[in-house]
Amino acid sequence: MRRMIRIRVNGEWRELSVAGNALLLNVLREDEGLTGTKYGCGIGECGACTVRIDGEPVLSCLTLAVAVDGCEVQTVEGLAVDGRLDPLQEAMLDTAAVQCGFCTPGMLMTARALLDETPAPSEQDVRDHMKGNLCRCTGYASIVRAVLEAANRDGGPEMAPKPPALGAPRRSRGAPRTP
Amino acid sequence: MLTFTNSHLLLGELDYVEPASVDEACALLAEHAGEARLLAGGTDLLVQLKLERAEARCLIGMRRLPELRRITGEDGLVLGAAATIRSIARSALVRGRYAALQEACEAFSTLQVMVMGTVGGNVCNASPAADTVPALLAFDARAGLRGRHGERAVPLDELFVGPGRTVLHADEMLESLRLAPVSAGTGSAFLKLGRVAADIAKVSVAVRLDREGEHIRDCRVALGAVAPTPVRSGEAERALRGQAPSAALVQDAARAAADEIRPITDVRSTAAYRRHAAGVLVQDAIRRAWARAGGREIR
Ligand SMILES: Cc1cc2nc3c(=O)[nH]c(=O)nc-3n(C[C@H](O)[C@H](O)[C@H](O)COP(=O)(O)OP(=O)(O)OC[C@H]3O[C@@H](n4cnc5c(N)ncnc54)[C@H](O)[C@@H]3O)c2cc1C
Ligand code: FES
Ligand code: FES
């Protein structure tokens, strides 16, 4: 069985012909060329394949493409707007929360969903929300710090910039966020 | 010999349909007898299909059945089969009144699985370790089933036949779970012991106590991952019913539960460990439920 579906990927409606057994993860990576979303385990355990469907963080390795017909899909490629990184992405760089980077796209999608719902999470909130995203490199501390830092920055541009954690030099990627 | 399964792809031709009514879903199940499976969140089914522990030629999606996602408070609590674990954990109808159910949903391993997974999938997958089931048993849940030839309600403790097996006929699906009403003197608690926080249970326990003054008027003690199906401990319930809680009584009930269960040894724990841990969890769950029922501290 093949079927036409319409999904809105990172803001753009796409019409795609997909097989009945095609997984959203593979459609995104192979048909759409959006390789930011990663295949880690394929069985729901690692979170590397997390994307947002209608805003919710969902495992694309366990989602049939035909079953998201009509939905809004956001991948890590859709976080930056007009070449400006999302504050979360900036915070990840600033706190050195990326080592090999394999877990990072999934981490970002889960964390973005958290911050959209809970703009000022506690450290425990962050750890609870992100326990389905595994990282083999960082030990998580820097990732948690990045999410809390991004929440802080999301808090308002009038807030004085905090010194970067870990003494890491502030990298400037994309245009500055604050006017 | 090691065998490798490819979890990258879902192998095999697969048809996918989205019926617009429960009746249509039952007709489809009947039509594809044995070859069709209902797909809710897919967090059990797609894993099993990938690992070739299940087979299907046709998946029946439930997206066009919004009534199955409803949670209502009429005469107790009614959960639509496709209500997600997260929607139950966050429902105002569940909070406080059905504390054990809320705790069971919150004990689910990860956010993504809570967002995708449904209570109907958790029940119908019939794992002995399914987190919601002990809590549902504690509230005398009845499973509302519908098939081609009509509806029936089955008490949840009669739904499970063994690991992965239920009494559902090939053309039947679970529509709803109806939990008994709670009163002001009802308190409940769910506790789960996992290997790590994000894991399925080694042992889980749900307790519901109905307090009348200083006495336990009625109670339920249900356990997961300690037998081929989730079970109630009739012995522990008998020990508690009509009594005023004391440290000795709580211990007796816990011992009764530990004696009654039939745990196995597997990669997560040994049987002896499960038996011991079940006793400890039962004690803790009774104490919590009693405190929530407004009872005086147990000494
Ligand atoms: C990484 C990971 C972690 C997990 N952690 C936990 C955990 O902590 N606790 C826990 O209890 N479980 C856990 N699970 C198991 C699973 O997520 C749950 O059992 C979940 O509730 C299944 O719901 P679903 O909607 O995804 O079911 P599906 O996979 O869609 O369906 C499961 C089965 O039920 C059948 N079914 C679904 N709905 C109906 C219906 N209405 N009528 C009849 N049959 C139906 C399907 O045909 C299928 O056989 C985990 C799974 C993964 C992958
Ligand atoms: S690849 Fe989807 S959870 Fe690991
Ligand atoms: S940075 Fe390597 S897995 Fe997280």
Side-chain angles (χ1 to χ4, degrees):
Chain A
M1 181 199 90
R2 280 195 88 79
R3 187 168 299 171
M4 292 304 293
I5 59 165
R6 252 166 69 80
I7 53 177
R8 192 155 174 234
V9 183
N10 298 329
E12 206 179 301
W13 281 105
R14 308 278 301 152
E15 241 173 84
L16 304 167
S17 162
V18 297
N21 62 356
L23 298 160
L24 180 61
L25 172 63
N26 299 336
V27 169
L28 291 171
R29 287 180 56 85
E30 288 154 28
D31 301 352
E32 291 295 276
L34 296 171
T35 54
T37 307
K38 302 300 184 216
Y39 163 66
C41 66
I43 52 169
E45 308 269 353
C46 76
C49 65
T50 305
V51 299
R52 292 176 79 187
I53 296 177
D54 295 339
E56 301 261 36
V58 160
L59 303 170
S60 60
C61 74
L62 295 181
T63 301
L64 290 180
V66 284
V68 294
D69 189 12
C71 292
E72 172 102 40
V73 180
Q74 190 191 28
T75 69
V76 69
E77 289 88 347
L79 282 180
V81 179
D82 297 333
R84 287 177 163 213
L85 292 186
D86 186 282
L88 248 173
Q89 292 172 298
E90 283 196 31
M92 286 277 220
L93 292 170
D94 294 344
T95 61
V98 180
Q99 288 188 23
C100 81
F102 200 82
C103 69
T104 311
M107 291 281 181
L108 284 166
M109 301 319 285
T110 311
R112 189 68 261 165
L114 165 65
L115 293 186
D116 286 354
E117 206 174 82
T118 312
S122 66
E123 176 173 347
Q124 196 53 49
D125 291 339
V126 175
R127 288 188 180 271
D128 279 351
H129 271 251
M130 307 214 16
K131 66 186 176 183
N133 290 83
L134 303 186
C135 175
R136 293 304 300 270
C137 305
T138 65
Y140 302 100
S142 55
I143 295 174
V144 173
R145 214 176 300 139
V147 180
L148 293 171
E149 174 68 19
N152 239 330
R153 293 182 193 171
D154 272 354
E158 65 284 347
M159 212 181 317
K162 294 182 76 180
L166 279 178
R170 175 86 205 230
R171 311 251 299 265
S172 62
R173 287 276 185 89
R177 292 182 53 248
T178 43
Chain B
M1 199 183 75
L2 275 176
T3 53
F4 293 95
T5 5
N6 182 353
S7 70
H8 191 169
L9 301 172
L10 202 50
L11 297 174
E13 276 285 302
L14 207 51
D15 204 355
Y16 176 79
V17 276
E18 284 179 353
S21 70
V22 171
D23 285 334
E24 194 187 327
C26 297
L28 283 164
L29 281 171
E31 183 187 323
H32 296 267
E35 305 213 309
R37 298 288 289 270
L38 289 161
L39 177 70
T43 58
D44 278 317
L45 185 56
L46 288 195
V47 174
Q48 290 161 7
L49 290 172
K50 281 185 170 185
L51 301 183
E52 295 174 20
R53 290 178 195 156
E55 276 180 50
R57 301 291 296 276
C58 173
L59 296 184
I60 302 173
M62 305 206 282
R63 278 205 308 165
R64 289 171 66 198
L65 308 174
E67 68 275 20
L68 293 190
R69 290 195 290 273
R70 272 212 299 265
I71 300 172
T72 57
E74 61 201 57
D75 192 21
L77 178 71
V78 184
L79 307 172
T84 65
I85 300 301
R86 189 145 200 255
S87 71
I88 297 169
R90 289 152 58 106
S91 165
L93 293 168
V94 174
R95 201 168 309 133
R97 299 199 309 149
Y98 294 91
L101 179 63
Q102 188 191 351
E103 286 173 333
C105 290
E106 284 170 347
F108 253 68
S109 56
T110 74
L111 174 66
Q112 291 92 325
V113 171
M114 290 171 72
V115 162
M116 298 170 76
T118 64
V119 66
N122 198 224
V123 167
C124 293
N125 189 56
S127 160
D131 277 332
T132 64
V133 176
L136 293 168
L137 288 172
F139 293 106
D140 295 339
R142 293 173 74 79
L145 308 182
R146 174 106 74 120
R148 254 179 327 164
H149 305 298
E151 310 175 53
R152 58 180 176 141
V154 176
L156 194 62
D157 52 3
E158 294 169 19
L159 192 83
F160 305 108
V161 179
R165 289 170 49 226
T166 66
V167 300
L168 264 72
H169 300 314
D171 67 320
E172 264 181 333
M173 66 183 283
L174 176 69
E175 259 189 312
S176 65
L177 292 152
R178 182 176 288 275
L179 283 67
V182 291
S183 63
T186 300
S188 68
F190 171 88
L191 290 169
K192 162 182 173 179
L193 197 66
R195 195 168 41 87
V196 290
D199 194 21
I200 64 164
K202 291 170 161 193
V203 181
S204 61
V205 171
V207 168
R208 183 197 101 211
L209 302 176
D210 298 332
R211 183 178 66 85
E212 199 168 74
E214 297 305 312
H215 291 81
I216 297 170
R217 183 169 52 76
D218 199 4
C219 62
R220 298 288 179 272
V221 177
L223 299 97
V226 296
T229 68
V231 288
R232 268 173 63 183
S233 171
E235 295 299 328
E237 293 175 7
R238 252 189 296 285
L240 294 171
R241 204 170 282 127
Q243 305 293 315
S246 64
L249 181 78
V250 174
Q251 263 175 21
D252 285 349
R255 203 171 305 123
D259 285 346
E260 199 176 355
I261 58 180
R262 288 180 291 144
I264 56 162
T265 295
D266 69 5
V267 290
R268 285 192 172 74
S269 295
T270 62
Y273 175 83
R274 280 199 164 93
R275 205 180 283 285
H276 177 74
V280 175
L281 288 194
V282 168
Q283 291 201 37
D284 286 354
I286 293 172
R287 287 173 181 276
R288 278 188 201 214
W290 183 247
R292 287 176 182 165
R296 247 189 279 158
E297 199 191 335
I298 299 174
R299 273 195 265 258

